[in-house]
């Protein structure tokens, strides 16, 4: 998962673009699935959030998004931890958009 984020950042850097995100808020965070297998527990959380997203070129022209528009974003994040662990350190292992 980290590789995908790093690739997107690298490609944007190569194009000399910058991404500006303004997080407005989250209207929903709901567990939608769980799984326990081979000593690992996974939960999937569905987030409904609002944000403003704008990508700008090196000369500050807008190439994607709208600085005046708030958009709803729906994502599912999957977290995992060792079921027997007393620390319950949850690790983000996957994300997907709807």
């Amino acid at each position: 998962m980290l590789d995908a984020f790093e690739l997107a950042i690298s490609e944007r850097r190569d194009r000399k673009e910058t991404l500006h995100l303004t997080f407005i808020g989250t209207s929903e965070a709901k567990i939608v699935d769980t799984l326990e297998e081979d000593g690992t527990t996974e939960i999937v959380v569905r987030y409904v959030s609002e944000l403003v997203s704008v990508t700008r070129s090196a000369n500050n022209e807008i190439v994607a998004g709208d600085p005046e528009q708030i958009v709803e974003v729906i994502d599912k994040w999957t977290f995992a931890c060792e079921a027997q662990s007393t620390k319950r350190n949850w690790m983000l292992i996957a994300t997907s958009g709807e």
Side-chain angles (χ1 to χ4, degrees), residues 23-30 46-50 72-74:
F23 179 73
I24 305 301
T26 298
S27 60
E28 179 182 307
K30 179 180 178 181
R46 181 179 186 264
Y47 293 98
V48 179
S49 303
E50 292 183 331
E72 181 180 79
V73 177
I74 302 174

Side-chain angles (χ1 to χ4, degrees), residues 17-18 53-68:
E17 295 175 348
T18 55
S53 175
V54 180
T55 302
R56 294 183 181 272
S57 67
N59 60 0
N60 210 32
E61 290 182 19
I62 295 172
V63 295
D66 182 343
E68 303 297 321

Side-chain angles (χ1 to χ4, degrees), residues 6-85:
E6 288 178 339
L7 179 61
I9 291 167
S10 176
E11 289 173 347
R12 201 168 24 251
R13 186 179 301 122
D14 290 346
R15 293 188 306 267
K16 297 184 177 12
E17 295 175 348
T18 55
L19 173 63
H20 302 268
L21 291 173
T22 304
F23 179 73
I24 305 301
T26 298
S27 60
E28 179 182 307
K30 179 180 178 181
I31 296 174
V32 295
D33 198 9
T34 61
L35 170 70
E36 190 163 339
E37 187 175 278
D38 298 327
T40 301
T41 300
E42 293 183 10
I43 61 170
V44 179
V45 181
R46 181 179 186 264
Y47 293 98
V48 179
S49 303
E50 292 183 331
L51 56 86
V52 176
S53 175
V54 180
T55 302
R56 294 183 181 272
S57 67
N59 60 0
N60 210 32
E61 290 182 19
I62 295 172
V63 295
D66 182 343
E68 303 297 321
Q69 182 179 9
I70 297 172
V71 294
E72 181 180 79
V73 177
I74 302 174
D75 286 318
K76 288 183 181 174
W77 290 18
T78 303
F79 299 90
C81 77
E82 294 179 23
Q84 300 302 318
S85 174

